[in-house]
Amino acid sequence: MATGNAIRGTRVGSSAVRWAESPADRAETIARRKVEYWCANGHHTEHTFAAEAAVPATWDCPRCGLPAGMDEANPPAPPHTEPYKTHLAYVKERRSAEDGAAILAEALQRVRARRGE
Ligand SMILES: [Zn+2]
């Protein structure tokens, strides 16, 4: 590992110290804007972005994890979470009732044929 080179290569202190005399001075020079988000559960989140930063349209609610939007009256809908489905539910999704009746009739036919009916 070239650890020594990496340390020698970084020059964090030298350039930063000059303009950041104190934290207060720095806060004034960086324009910021406060953006408010609301999630579908009514949680309110404030987030501060640098003025030139792209503000995301949605923000994950830190309290419940749902996407939160900037419109309080119209928060983004919770993502559609697939509820647990039984095997039968999946089958019903693929097959209509008519299909099911046909398959059942077919199966019964096979059973009866096997029994010699
Ligand atoms: Zn929330």
Side-chain angles (χ1 to χ4, degrees), residues 64-90:
C64 67
L66 290 180
M70 286 178 259
D71 184 359
E72 181 179 12
N74 190 22
H80 180 66
T81 46
E82 202 70 15
Y84 174 76
K85 270 196 234 169
T86 62
H87 178 69
L88 182 62
Y90 279 111

Side-chain angles (χ1 to χ4, degrees), residues 4 7 33 35 55 58 65 68 76 79 83 86 102-103 113 115:
I7 290 170
R33 56 181 156 165
V35 181
V55 174
T58 61
T86 62
I103 289 165
R115 284 183 186 161

Side-chain angles (χ1 to χ4, degrees), residues 12-60:
V12 174
S14 54
S15 58
V17 168
R18 199 157 26 86
W19 55 273
E21 266 98 37
S22 76
D25 288 345
R26 201 160 31 154
E28 274 172 64
T29 56
I30 300 172
R32 293 186 166 274
R33 56 181 156 165
K34 194 178 74 179
V35 181
E36 296 176 283
Y37 293 99
W38 288 267
C39 79
N41 286 333
H43 300 141
H44 174 232
T45 312
E46 279 180 16
H47 210 80
T48 308
F49 295 93
E52 69 269 22
V55 174
T58 61
W59 193 264
D60 284 349

